[in-house]
Amino acid sequence: MSKNPVLSAVDIWKSYGNGATFLSIIRGACIEISEGEVVSIVGPSGSGKSTFLHVCGVLDPPDRGTVSVRSMDVWSVSESRRAKIRNGELGFIFQFHHLLDEFTMLENVAMPSMLAGNSRKEALDSAAMLLKEVGLSGRGQHFPSESSGGERQRAAVARALILSPSVVLADEPTGNLDSANSRNVEDLMFKLAERRNQAFIIATHSIELAGRAHRCFTLDDGILRS
Ligand SMILES: Nc1ncnc2c1ncn2[C@@H]1O[C@H](COP(=O)(O)OP(=O)(O)OP(=O)(O)O)[C@@H](O)[C@H]1O
Ligand SMILES: [Mg+2]
């Protein structure tokens, strides 16, 4: 496994509200992740796992601290540069797949590529390859409503990967699946991390999934510990 760091977050602080509603959620968290590495974050509900993933994924700014993607401090560059990094280097998988019902599975997977300006043909070709990689070849013309929860989540994994992100942020990716489908999606993430040298940061309540990661962090009372 290569050891090039792809994402580092240093001394991250994040709070919500102010005055009587002030909540200090993340207090001085640091994480560094290398290519092909799978890192898990566990912690009680409300401990800030999603908040931290959003900060690491450049969806939300930290109050304090720096987030760097491939050594670029993402909050010190222009919004358009930041959007480019977010779209080009980072992928997201959520607990609920968020596939669009009016599009086929193939079109759903291809969507980020089309939105990034690639031709429809190019996007659909890469989507078809990815669907094959996640074990869904032959399901491309089906709609999400005609697919099982596990199949939809595997399509969501494929969609997160279509622009070949360096880092995938997965927020409870198996939280909505039964144990067989969870195992399937887990295996898929580990396989892709190894094959494509992509890094995964996975927030989860599953001790089994957390334990399979190369490194496991715990978030509790605002503090991230390895
Ligand atoms: N936009 C917001 N405004 C105010 N408070 C928020 C906001 N988003 C989250 N919070 C609060 O921040 C805390 C951390 O929330 P977060 O969703 O990050 O926790 P979590 O660890 O992901 O929980 P879960 O395991 O239930 O998904 C919670 O107390 C939540 O109520
Ligand atoms: Mg959460």
Side-chain angles (χ1 to χ4, degrees):
M1 184 194 304
S2 161
K3 278 286 153 201
N4 296 331
V6 282
L7 185 145
S8 75
V10 178
D11 196 23
I12 301 299
W13 292 71
K14 182 76 182 171
S15 57
Y16 291 117
N18 50 49
T21 66
F22 181 82
L23 281 173
S24 178
I25 305 296
I26 307 291
R27 298 189 286 126
C30 294
I31 199 168
E32 185 175 89
I33 182 157
S34 304
E35 289 179 345
E37 196 177 21
V38 181
V39 158
S40 61
I41 301 177
V42 294
S45 180
S47 59
K49 301 179 298 296
S50 297
T51 301
F52 188 58
L53 281 192
H54 284 207
V55 171
C56 288
V58 198
L59 297 171
D60 270 337
D63 299 338
R64 228 169 83 190
T66 48
V67 177
S68 306
V69 175
R70 296 214 176 269
S71 304
M72 167 127 12
D73 176 350
V74 295
W75 292 101
S76 71
V77 299
S78 67
E79 175 53 38
S80 64
R81 190 81 206 259
R82 191 159 43 249
K84 227 176 192 162
I85 295 169
R86 198 186 289 122
N87 297 335
E89 300 278 0
L90 305 170
F92 299 89
I93 304 168
F94 301 100
Q95 178 174 359
F96 299 99
H97 52 80
H98 298 303
L99 297 175
L100 302 169
D101 282 335
E102 59 274 39
F103 294 98
T104 63
M105 300 276 264
L106 184 70
E107 288 167 335
N108 265 284
V109 174
M111 195 70 67
S113 176
M114 290 195 250
L115 292 175
N118 295 316
S119 73
R120 184 175 165 84
K121 180 177 181 334
E122 190 180 333
L124 292 176
D125 285 351
S126 336
M129 275 191 321
L130 268 167
L131 275 181
K132 191 168 173 209
E133 195 152 1
V134 302
L136 288 176
S137 49
R139 306 288 305 189
Q141 297 311 319
H142 291 232
F143 287 88
S145 59
E146 300 167 329
S147 312
S148 74
E151 287 165 348
R152 287 180 224 171
Q153 195 62 330
R154 278 187 277 149
V157 173
R159 182 187 53 185
L161 296 177
I162 187 129
L163 293 174
S164 297
S166 307
V167 185
V168 179
L169 299 116
D171 196 355
E172 300 191 38
T174 59
N176 198 29
L177 300 177
D178 65 23
S179 58
N181 274 307
S182 293
R183 183 81 198 177
N184 201 310
V185 168
E186 278 175 30
D187 290 348
L188 176 64
M189 291 189 292
F190 283 92
K191 182 185 87 177
L192 292 168
E194 195 176 320
R195 251 201 220 161
R196 301 164 67 107
N197 218 21
Q198 282 164 319
F200 281 75
I201 305 180
I202 306 172
T204 183
H205 285 288
S206 160
I207 299 304
E208 194 201 335
L209 169 55
R212 287 182 71 187
H214 303 129
R215 281 188 295 145
C216 179
F217 289 82
T218 304
L219 188 55
D220 203 3
D221 209 15
I223 310 292
L224 187 72
R225 289 189 182 84
S226 57

